[in-house]
Amino acid sequence: MDYGIVLFTSDRGITPAAAARAAEAAGFATFYVPEHTHIPVKRASPHPRTGDASLPDDRYSRTLDPWVALATAAAVTERIRLSTAVALPVESDPITLAKTIASLDHLSGGRVTLGTGFGWNVDELTDHGVPGNRRRTALREYLEAMSALWTEEEASYDGEFVSFGPSWAWPKPVQPHIPVLLGAGPTEKTFRWIARHADGWITTPADTDLDGHVALLKEIWLAEGREGAPRICALGERPDPERLAHLDSLGVTETIFGLPDRAPDEVEAWIGRLAGKLSLAPART
């Protein structure tokens, strides 16, 4: 089982580049950042953790652009994978976003993973012209359209939310297939969506009893005709040896730890201490 780090980016504290560099040096496998383009002040959407319109962290309205953040991280690292937990593709133009992600994969030497979500903040989606009750369809179309641009010499797509005629688009990603992970709650409907349109699941911090959920995802994965096993990334865990051993036995492929909102030197020290608890081997220089 791999170990990853997620930085809730903002315009204060440690930069993504510094955090990613420290995470790579400490031996972590993946560096994650989130996405929110904006947070409408008046909202009907309850936050999954608070249950109402209040936010558990002011960084929700201060997040950096994820692809700019990961580009800065790519420039100062060599091996660590670069991912989102999670990005909201339907809040961007799909053709432009496909170019951005392909460029990052090209410049980073093939290190990008797309962690994506449907979006809990329906008000935020509405401002981008995406109806909340159509967000699953919109995300599917975005992923299909971007995949066409990444893999086909003359790409085209005709859907409800995305439509373009035969087009050329380079660079292509270094990876033949950019891995797609979905961060969402553990429902049968979500797992079926993952099995049909993604490569794995990112849990939510509220998903602590994973045994039944992992078993259901694997069952649906096979029923949908997928080979192998889905990637499963457990978000918001603690470095408890027994818990980590149990996650590994379930088939969790990566555990993701969140960084504290502290001064840069404190965050770097925290990364080092966490790596020690996990017995990670520091990267060779």
Side-chain angles (χ1 to χ4, degrees), residues 253-275:
T253 51
E254 185 171 56
T255 301
I256 307 169
F257 301 93
L259 294 178
D261 186 17
R262 300 177 188 168
D265 58 339
E266 294 181 78
V267 173
E268 292 188 11
W270 190 94
I271 290 173
R273 290 194 300 272
L274 178 60

Side-chain angles (χ1 to χ4, degrees), residues 70 74 77-78 80 82 103-112 174:
L70 291 179
T77 58
E78 296 180 355
I80 197 167
L82 308 168
S103 298
L104 180 60
D105 199 66
H106 170 73
L107 294 172
S108 68
R111 291 189 277 148
V112 174
V174 172

Side-chain angles (χ1 to χ4, degrees), residues 174-192:
V174 172
Q175 300 174 94
H177 172 74
I178 289 182
V180 175
L181 308 174
L182 180 75
T187 66
E188 181 176 344
K189 182 178 181 181
T190 290
F191 289 162
R192 202 163 300 283

